[in-house]
Amino acid sequence: MEDTEPRNTEPTAEPTAEPTAEPTAEPSADPAAHPTTKKRRLRRTRRTVLAVLLVLILPLLTAGAALRVNYMGDPADGTYTRNRDAMWLGHAWVDGRKDDADLAAFARRIESTGIRDLYVHTGPLEHDGTLPESRYPKARRLIDAVHRELPGVRVQAFLGDVLVTEGPDGMHLDRADTRAAVVDSARQVLDAGYDGVHLDLEPLHSGDRNYLSLLDDLRAVTRAKDAQLSVAAHQIDPLPALHSVFGVFTENPKWWSQEFFGEVARRVDQIAVMTYDTAQPLEGTYGGYVAQQTSLALEVTPPTTHLLMGLPFYYESNFDHWGHAETVEAAVRGVRLGLSRTDADRKLFGVAPYIDFAATETNWDEYREGWVNP
C-alpha cells in the first residue's frame, strides 16, 4: 500500500559526525510492521466487525420491534375461554406415584377452568413404535376416576418419542413397520380405556410425508373407536421459509411451514402448538410472538379442527427459554390478541398449559385472570 503520510520536503543540513554508538537492530523491511499500517489494519478490522454485527443485529432488532408492536392493543371482547382447554400431565398419574387424594386436589384445581382434555404421559414409545403395557399400570384406575370426579373431561394417552432426524438414536418414521407399530400402540391404549391418542414426535422436520401417512392411519383407528386424535405441533415459520434457511445452518430447523402445519391440522381432531422455548428475551416480544403464532395457526386450521395454543407452566432460564419473558400472562394476552385479529369467533379453540408437575401458583393465577376470568 502506498504511504500517504506527509513528508518533510525542506532541504536539510549535511549530517555531522556522531560518536560511535552501540549497534542497533535494522528496521524491519515488512510493511505490515510499520506503525501507520498497523493502525490502518486495526481500523479496517474494527469497521469489518462493526459491519458484520450490524448485519446480524439489525434484522433481530427489527424483528423484535415488530413483535413488540404486535403485542400492542387490546384484545376483543369475548376472546377468552370457550371451555375447550387442555393440559399436559406427567407420567406419575399412570405409574402409581399419584393416588386418589392427588386426583381430588387436581379436580378442585381445574373444576372452574375450561380444561376438558388431559394429555397424560403414557409412553414413551420404544424406537420401534411398540409400547410395553408395564409403562402405564394404573391408567385404567386414573381414567375411571377422572370420568367419575370430572364428568365431561377426556383422558388421552400422551405418546411420544425422539426421532432420528438429528441423531443416531430414535424412531425411524421412514420405516413402514415402525409406523404400523405406532398404530398398534394406539389401538392398545384405546383398548385400555383412553378417550384418545395424543402424539408428540420430536424433532419433526417440516414436510415429513411419512408423518402425514402415519396420521392418516391413526385417524382411521381413532374414528373407528369414536376417539380423539391430537398432536403436539411445532411452531410455524415467523418469516416465510425460515425453516429452510435455518436448515442450512443447523440440524434442527425448529419451525414448520404454515402449509405443512395446515396439512397436519386437517388430519387430526386437535392440534396443540408448543408455543414456548422461543428464545424471546422480553415479555413484550414473547407475547407478540405468541400473537403472531396464533394468527398463523388460525389461518390454516380448519374450523372443524380444535386448535390449542400452549402455555408455559414452568420456569427455566436459558437461551431457548427466558423465564422472566415467557410468562403465562404474556402468552395468554398474545393468544387473545391473535384470536381477536384473525378469527375472534372461532369455537374450537383453547389454550393448553404445559405441564402439571412444574406449575406454580403464579402460573395458575395468570391463566385464570387472563383467560378464564379476564
Side-chain angles (χ1 to χ4, degrees):
M1 179 184 293
E2 182 183 358
D3 189 352
T4 58
E5 286 295 307
R7 292 181 171 84
N8 182 7
T9 58
E10 293 298 319
T12 57
E14 289 292 323
T16 57
E18 292 290 340
T20 303
E22 291 293 323
T24 57
E26 289 291 324
S28 172
D30 183 2
H34 194 286
T36 303
T37 304
K38 286 183 177 180
K39 289 180 181 178
R40 289 199 194 97
R41 272 197 181 171
L42 182 59
R43 285 197 296 267
R44 257 186 309 174
T45 301
R46 287 173 177 169
R47 285 196 295 266
T48 301
V49 170
L50 179 59
V52 171
L53 289 175
L54 287 174
V55 168
L56 294 174
I57 293 174
L58 278 179
L60 294 176
L61 293 176
T62 302
L67 291 177
R68 185 62 185 86
V69 170
N70 207 36
Y71 192 56
M72 298 172 66
D74 296 317
D77 293 339
T79 52
Y80 43 80
T81 186
R82 276 86 164 120
N83 293 317
R84 294 182 180 277
D85 300 336
M87 186 169 193
W88 282 281
L89 303 184
H91 201 82
W93 291 100
V94 295
D95 67 6
R97 284 176 288 166
K98 296 282 190 180
D99 57 21
D100 291 341
D102 294 308
L103 180 61
F106 181 72
R108 291 191 297 271
R109 170 79 77 179
I110 71 167
E111 62 184 353
S112 59
T113 70
I115 294 174
R116 295 294 180 270
D117 282 280
L118 303 177
Y119 303 144
V120 184
H121 191 267
T122 306
L125 295 165
E126 294 290 326
H127 292 337
D128 63 3
T130 59
L131 178 66
E133 293 184 6
S134 59
R135 296 215 170 129
Y136 53 99
K138 305 298 181 181
R140 185 79 234 193
R141 186 182 72 175
L142 171 71
I143 296 164
D144 291 343
V146 169
H147 290 167
R148 182 178 64 251
E149 299 292 331
L150 294 164
V153 173
R154 293 178 294 208
V155 185
Q156 299 192 42
F158 171 8
L159 305 178
D161 194 20
V162 176
L163 299 178
V164 293
T165 45
E166 296 168 22
D169 298 320
M171 180 181 289
H172 289 264
L173 274 186
D174 58 328
R175 297 176 180 172
D177 58 343
T178 298
R179 297 195 302 273
V182 174
V183 174
D184 287 340
S185 295
R187 289 194 187 93
Q188 181 180 314
V189 294
L190 293 176
D191 289 342
Y194 281 97
D195 301 305
V197 175
H198 179 76
L199 192 63
D200 178 21
L201 301 177
E202 300 181 46
L204 182 68
H205 291 185
S206 184
D208 192 321
R209 309 309 298 181
N210 293 309
Y211 180 66
L212 298 180
S213 175
L214 173 61
L215 293 181
D216 289 336
D217 294 340
L218 286 170
R219 189 74 178 275
V221 170
T222 55
R223 278 184 168 173
K225 293 181 174 290
D226 195 25
Q228 294 287 297
L229 174 60
S230 59
V231 294
H234 288 33
Q235 297 156 30
I236 302 172
D237 281 337
L239 296 172
L242 190 60
H243 73 280
S244 298
V245 175
F246 265 67
V248 175
F249 301 102
T250 176
E251 292 182 341
N252 184 0
K254 184 180 178 67
W255 297 281
W256 285 354
S257 72
Q258 191 181 33
E259 178 184 6
F260 183 69
F261 187 97
E263 289 190 76
V264 173
R266 289 191 292 273
R267 286 170 164 83
V268 298
D269 298 299
Q270 298 178 334
I271 184 166
V273 189
M274 296 180 284
T275 332
Y276 35 79
D277 295 344
T278 65
Q280 291 301 320
L282 303 171
E283 268 192 304
T285 59
Y286 173 62
Y289 182 85
V290 173
Q292 181 196 45
Q293 288 291 306
T294 303
S295 292
L296 291 171
L298 282 166
E299 288 171 359
V300 293
T301 300
T304 53
T305 299
H306 183 180
L307 173 63
L308 298 127
M309 305 304 295
L311 303 180
F313 267 43
Y314 63 98
Y315 186 95
E316 289 180 359
S317 276
N318 52 52
F319 181 78
D320 289 328
H321 181 102
W322 300 105
H324 65 275
E326 293 197 19
T327 65
V328 174
E329 180 180 9
V332 166
R333 189 168 188 276
V335 167
R336 294 188 64 200
L337 287 169
L339 183 63
S340 301
R341 295 164 182 162
T342 313
D343 191 354
D345 297 323
R346 179 71 68 111
K347 302 300 182 186
L348 293 179
F349 184 86
V351 297
Y354 178 89
I355 187 168
D356 70 306
F357 58 78
T360 67
E361 288 299 324
T362 298
N363 296 152
W364 284 107
D365 289 345
E366 290 177 354
Y367 162 63
R368 290 177 183 277
E369 293 167 9
W371 181 248
V372 180
N373 303 303

